[in-house]
């Protein structure tokens, strides 16, 4: 079974919305405002590109990333990596042609089937709504979190508000950086 890893920039109060400056959110770009850039705090992002063998995202994140990431040197390792987009509305004609093989999945059940295939880790970028559904279905195996020292209040959250049984996590890697960012890597305990 393949490992499904959710990776996120998250505020201390759990917000993941518009970390890079996507329009329409009051605090857009919060990961780069009023915080010193320290390359070592982002080491995990390079490691993710080296270790992942496929990328999974929801429609909204796909529509935000696909016009930009294919030509960015920072994300070069993702260019030819197989990508999967979970959407009930996208059609093959909506997909960009310069970002490698992309497959549309129509449901969380199809994500579960993908996890059963041969291959290495699948990384989930962005995709707050998809993260909720994957977590609620018990499909996420690991979280890679860069926690920023901000309280943002309103905004899309990484974790679902569904009333469910407690889910234990095991901290497997952590580090705090001089700019206040914390790396936290958790495995889901089954």
């Amino acid at each position: 079974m393949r490992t499904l890893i959710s990776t996120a920039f998250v505020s201390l109060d759990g917000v993941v919305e518009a970390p890079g400056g996507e329009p329409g959110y009051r605090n857009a770009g919060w990961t780069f405002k009023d915080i010193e850039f320290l390359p070592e705090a982002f080491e995990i992002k390079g490691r993710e590109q080296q270790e992942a063998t496929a990328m999974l995202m929801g429609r909204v994140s796909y529509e935000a990333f696909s016009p930009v990431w294919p030509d960015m040197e920072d994300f070069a390792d993702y260019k030819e990596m197989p990508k999967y987009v979970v959407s009930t509305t996208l059609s093959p004609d909506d997909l960009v042609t310069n970002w490698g093989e992309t497959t549309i999945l129509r449901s969380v059940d199809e994500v579960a089937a993908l996890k059963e295939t041969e291959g290495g880790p699948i990384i989930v970028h962005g995709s707050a709504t998809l993260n909720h559904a994957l977590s609620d279905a018990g499909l996420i195996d690991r979280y890679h979190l860069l926690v920023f020292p901000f309280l943002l209040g309103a905004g899309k959250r990484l974790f679902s508000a569904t009333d469910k049984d407690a889910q234990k996590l095991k901290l497997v890697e952590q580090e705090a950086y001089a700019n206040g960012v914390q790396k936290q890597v958790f495995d889901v305990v089954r």
Side-chain angles (χ1 to χ4, degrees):
M1 178 178 287
R2 299 173 82 169
T3 302
L4 190 61
I5 301 168
S6 173
T7 182
F9 294 142
V10 60
S11 69
L12 189 59
D13 57 348
V15 174
V16 294
E17 187 167 353
E22 299 79 1
Y25 176 62
R26 175 183 182 159
N27 293 311
W30 51 271
T31 58
F32 303 107
K33 289 181 181 175
D34 302 319
I35 192 152
E36 179 186 2
F37 176 77
L38 296 177
E40 60 270 24
F42 297 91
E43 171 276 334
I44 194 168
K45 295 296 163 192
R47 188 169 14 129
E48 287 170 350
Q49 287 186 64
Q50 296 298 311
E51 294 174 357
T53 60
M55 185 167 33
L56 177 70
M57 64 205 105
R59 178 193 54 81
V60 173
S61 292
Y62 177 80
E63 289 176 342
F65 300 155
S66 65
V68 182
W69 281 23
D71 298 321
M72 289 183 70
E73 188 175 322
D74 287 347
F75 302 112
D77 290 329
Y78 285 137
K79 186 158 186 165
E80 297 306 319
M81 183 180 296
K83 283 163 269 319
Y84 298 89
V85 182
V86 181
S87 172
T88 58
T89 59
L90 279 180
S91 75
D93 292 339
D94 296 321
L95 302 176
V96 299
T97 59
N98 64 334
W99 203 21
E101 174 190 345
T102 303
T103 302
I104 299 171
L105 304 178
R106 298 296 182 191
S107 68
V108 171
D109 289 339
E110 289 187 29
V111 175
L114 173 64
K115 280 190 65 174
E116 296 293 331
T117 64
E118 293 293 318
I122 303 166
I123 195 96
V124 181
H125 278 282
S127 309
T129 302
L130 177 60
N131 264 286
H132 296 174
L134 295 172
S135 175
D136 289 347
L139 295 176
I140 296 176
D141 301 298
R142 176 174 274 197
Y143 290 95
H144 287 184
L145 307 178
L146 285 181
V147 182
F148 285 73
F150 294 112
L151 298 175
L152 299 174
K156 293 179 185 174
R157 300 282 198 261
L158 176 62
F159 299 105
S160 160
T162 301
D163 185 13
K164 59 185 175 185
D165 291 339
Q167 185 173 51
K168 184 167 174 50
L169 304 175
K170 178 182 177 187
L171 183 65
V172 295
E173 185 179 342
Q174 67 178 338
E175 192 161 350
Y177 303 97
N179 61 0
V181 173
Q182 297 177 34
K183 172 178 60 180
Q184 300 176 355
V185 177
F186 293 97
D187 281 343
V188 175
V189 177
R190 306 236 189 258

